[in-house]
Amino acid sequence: IDICHKVVYGLHNTMGYDYVGLLLVDKTTGERVLCASTGLSADAPPDLRLQPGQGLSESPLLDGRAHYTPDVTQEPQYVPAFNGKSEVDVPLKAGKEILGVLVVENQQVDAFNEDDFAVLTAAANQAAVALERAREHQAVKEAEIRYQSLYDRVPAGLYRTTPEWKFLDANP
């Protein structure tokens, strides 16, 4: 989640976008869950969950491409919690998996250009790599905790030594 905050605040502060939000996909429900946001709709509910079929940010999940909506007021799927006029939605892809969507809005209609697409695509790619690495790190950490717990609780003595019988590790 710290990664999400760094991405949205970094883009908001350096690029001056009116709103930046990052939604992650909940694998069990398919919902997009807001993990961080800043800007014109920072008052969006912090526990915002978009259901499948709801919101403009679903399109990148379906086809894996960035989508630009020059005037969101013309789109029935637009979620008014975000209060923008134009929106870019970029998928966060890690390999073939889409982890979430970077949502960037501006209060002006047709406010984004090719440079914005390049910046946002690069930012989304970097965020996806960082999120994937964080998930892998967490999985390794959890595996180490499980291993240590099993090692410590086994009802037999376990140990590791060097070939010279110097003890390297032993359970209680």
Side-chain angles (χ1 to χ4, degrees):
I1 301 298
D2 188 42
I3 294 166
C4 297
H5 286 95
K6 286 180 180 178
V7 169
V8 299
Y9 289 109
L11 284 170
H12 179 72
N13 293 335
T14 60
M15 300 302 294
Y17 296 122
D18 291 339
Y19 171 79
V20 181
L22 206 147
L23 298 110
L24 296 179
V25 175
D26 181 329
K27 290 181 184 181
T28 58
T29 64
E31 296 172 317
R32 281 153 287 139
V33 181
L34 184 64
C35 71
S37 69
T38 189
L40 62 95
S41 36
D43 59 344
D47 59 346
L48 178 72
R49 297 178 80 86
L50 297 176
Q51 306 296 318
Q54 182 183 20
L56 298 174
S57 62
E58 183 174 46
S59 294
L61 300 180
L62 299 175
D63 63 17
R65 296 183 303 113
H67 285 261
Y68 177 42
T69 308
D71 185 357
V72 298
T73 63
Q74 304 301 311
E75 298 295 327
Q77 282 190 298
Y78 181 68
V79 176
F82 295 124
N83 302 319
K85 294 277 174 33
S86 57
E87 178 173 321
V88 176
D89 300 291
V90 185
L92 280 73
K93 296 190 276 189
K96 294 184 185 219
E97 181 183 8
I98 297 178
L99 306 175
V101 181
L102 177 65
V103 177
V104 180
E105 293 194 11
N106 197 298
Q107 290 181 305
Q108 309 229 329
V109 172
D110 203 18
F112 297 97
N113 61 39
E114 291 299 319
D115 290 339
D116 293 306
F117 299 137
V119 166
L120 295 172
T121 299
N125 290 339
Q126 290 299 314
V129 168
L131 285 167
E132 187 64 18
R133 285 187 180 158
R135 286 181 176 179
E136 290 168 356
H137 178 75
Q138 185 63 31
V140 167
K141 197 176 194 179
E142 289 170 4
E144 288 173 348
I145 290 169
R146 281 192 309 274
Y147 167 79
Q148 191 64 44
S149 176
L150 176 66
Y151 183 76
D152 288 345
R153 293 182 184 179
V154 71
L158 299 174
Y159 60 90
R160 289 185 318 130
T161 66
T162 66
E164 296 79 34
W165 287 95
K166 179 180 176 188
F167 280 86
L168 299 173
D169 195 16
N171 69 344

